[in-house]
Amino acid sequence: MIEPLADPFGRVHDYIRISVTDRCNLRCVYCMPSEGLEFQPHDEIMSYEEITAIMSVLAPMGVSKVRLTGGEPLVRKDLETLVHQIASIEGIQDISLTTNGMLLPAKARLLKEAGLTRINISLDSLQEDRYARITRGGNVHKVLEGIEAAYAAGLDPIKLNMVLMKGFNEDEIKDFIALTLDRPLHVRFIEYMPIGHATDSWRDTYLPLSRVAEVCEEAGWNIQDEPGPSGNGPSRNMRVDGARGTFGLIHPVSDHFCDSCNRLRLTADGHIKACLYWSDEYNVRRIIDDPAAVANLFRKALGAKPLNHEMALALEKKAQSHTPTVRRMSQIGG
C-alpha cells in the first residue's frame, strides 16, 4: 500500500482543490481587482489531460475528494469532460464544484451526469443592485436560476457561500438563514480573508461571525448544533428548529481550523500550494510526464507545510513567520 500523504504534523491529506482557470465572468470585490489583473495565456493553463494525470497519481496515495474551482470553472469549455475523466479514476469518491452559478442553468445536468457529486454556489447578496455592486456586474436572478437547475439535476447537497463583509451585506444575514427554513439549502457564512491583499481596507471590511448568532437571537429563532451535510469540512453547522436546511460558520481568521487541515491546492498553471495563505508553491506541470516525480513533489510540498496560516496576525498588524501569497483568490482557487 502506498503511504498516504501526510505533513510533519501528522495531518493526512485526502482532499485537493483544483483551479481549472484564473478567468471569471465576474469581478467580486474580495476576489479580483476591477481592472489591471492580467490573465494567464491559455498555453500556461493545465489541460484536462494534465489534471487527470496528476489525479491518477494522487488517488492511489489516498486523495479521494476533489473540488474544481477557478476563477469561475464554468467559463472553461466542456468542464463536464474533466469531471468524467476524474470520476473514472479508481479511488475518487467525491467530486464537487465551486461556482458563481451564472452559467449553471445550462450545465447542471451535464455535470451531474458526468459524475459531479455536489455543488457550492457563491452568493453574497440576494438584493439585485447590491449583488451587481459586489460582483461588479453580476445578475442575481441568473444565480437563483442556477440554484434551481442544480436542484432539478439532483445535485445534493447544495451549499450557498456568503462572504460576510462589514458595510456590504451584514444586514442580509437573516434573509440568508430564512432560505434554509423551507428548502434543504445549506448556507455557509465565511469570514473575509486577506488573500493577496492584506490591507487596511480588508481590516475595515472584516466582520467576525459572532454577528450571526446575534441575528438569530434578535429573530427569536431557536437554533441547534447540527452534524451538517456531506462535505461538511470546517464549518460549524446549525439548524433553526423546524428548518429543512442548515447554516454554518467558517472562521478561517478568528478561529482557524489548521490543526485538522486535509487540503491541498493546485493552481490553474500547475503549482502545488499546501497552504492557501502562504506564498510557497511547487511547479508540478514541468514534471507531469514522470508520475514518481509528481508524487515526490507533492510529498515535498507537504513536508514544508506550516502548522497554521497566521491570518489573525495580519488582522492585528503583527509580524508573521512566513511570506503571505501575493496571488489573488481568483488565481489560486479558493
Side-chain angles (χ1 to χ4, degrees):
M1 180 178 176
I2 299 177
E3 184 180 352
L5 283 165
D7 66 16
F9 306 99
R11 296 173 293 195
V12 175
H13 291 64
D14 61 356
Y15 176 26
I16 188 166
R17 301 170 74 100
I18 302 174
S19 174
V20 299
T21 180
D22 65 334
R23 297 171 186 262
C24 189
N25 51 348
L26 299 177
R27 295 290 184 276
C28 297
V29 295
Y30 55 82
C31 189
M32 301 174 73
S34 58
E35 56 186 17
L37 183 65
E38 293 187 8
F39 296 118
Q40 292 169 306
H42 289 293
D43 61 358
E44 293 183 9
I45 301 298
M46 287 188 298
S47 68
Y48 289 169
E49 290 71 26
E50 288 173 322
I51 293 172
T52 303
I54 291 171
M55 287 312 307
S56 295
V57 173
L58 293 179
M61 301 172 76
V63 176
S64 60
K65 294 179 285 188
V66 181
R67 177 173 293 278
L68 302 177
T69 70
E72 168 49 47
L74 292 182
V75 303
R76 184 83 184 256
K77 185 179 179 181
D78 299 328
L79 186 68
E80 62 274 12
T81 299
L82 176 62
V83 172
H84 176 72
Q85 290 174 354
I86 295 174
S88 300
I89 298 172
E90 184 177 355
I92 299 300
Q93 300 174 2
D94 181 82
I95 305 175
S96 55
L97 177 74
T98 296
T99 173
N100 60 40
M102 295 273 290
L103 303 176
L104 199 52
K107 284 290 189 177
R109 191 167 298 280
L110 290 172
L111 291 164
K112 173 66 174 176
E113 291 172 352
L116 190 71
T117 313
R118 52 195 176 85
I119 197 162
N120 286 41
I121 299 172
S122 300
L123 180 60
D124 299 312
S125 177
L126 297 170
Q127 299 178 19
E128 184 174 2
D129 291 346
R130 179 179 290 175
Y131 181 83
R133 186 166 67 253
I134 291 174
T135 60
R136 299 190 179 104
N139 184 336
V140 72
H141 300 292
K142 290 285 188 183
V143 183
L144 298 177
E145 289 175 20
I147 294 171
E148 296 304 322
Y151 266 121
L155 290 166
D156 181 53
I158 299 171
K159 300 179 184 178
L160 306 182
N161 293 344
M162 180 202 194
V163 176
L164 199 57
M165 296 173 286
K166 186 192 305 180
F168 282 86
N169 59 5
E170 72 268 35
D171 59 337
E172 293 189 64
I173 293 172
K174 182 178 178 181
D175 295 335
F176 271 81
I177 296 176
L179 293 175
T180 73
L181 299 180
D182 300 319
R183 304 189 72 177
L185 284 169
H186 306 280
V187 172
R188 297 292 175 267
F189 297 104
I190 304 172
E191 286 182 333
Y192 184 22
M193 293 181 284
I195 304 300
H197 54 109
T199 63
D200 287 336
S201 62
W202 164 71
R203 296 182 185 93
D204 293 341
T205 309
Y206 170 81
L207 185 70
L209 297 187
S210 55
R211 179 60 188 145
V212 177
E214 295 170 358
V215 168
C216 290
E217 185 175 354
E218 292 165 4
W221 284 329
N222 185 32
I223 58 174
Q224 305 291 336
D225 284 338
E226 186 77 14
S230 172
N232 178 33
S235 176
R236 179 199 168 194
N237 298 292
M238 287 158 276
R239 187 189 301 270
V240 176
D241 276 357
R244 295 184 64 194
T246 67
F247 67 95
L249 310 179
I250 300 179
H251 307 81
V253 179
S254 66
D255 187 16
H256 69 74
F257 35 86
C258 297
D259 56 346
S260 60
C261 183
N262 65 340
R263 304 178 180 192
L264 288 159
R265 285 179 169 81
L266 187 62
T267 65
D269 57 353
H271 287 76
I272 304 165
K273 287 185 69 69
C275 178
L276 170 66
Y277 187 54
W278 299 124
S279 61
D280 309 58
E281 296 185 358
Y282 300 81
N283 185 350
V284 70
R285 196 181 186 206
R286 62 183 176 80
I287 54 170
I288 196 73
D289 294 327
D290 186 342
V294 169
N296 288 336
L297 191 60
F298 271 92
R299 292 196 187 280
K300 180 179 179 180
L302 276 182
K305 184 168 184 170
L307 180 59
N308 62 65
H309 55 54
E310 301 179 5
M311 285 186 200
L313 295 181
L315 185 63
E316 299 168 7
K317 299 185 180 181
K318 293 182 179 179
Q320 298 169 305
S321 63
H322 288 63
T323 303
T325 183
V326 295
R327 291 206 198 216
R328 305 290 295 212
M329 187 70 85
S330 61
Q331 297 170 312
I332 299 171

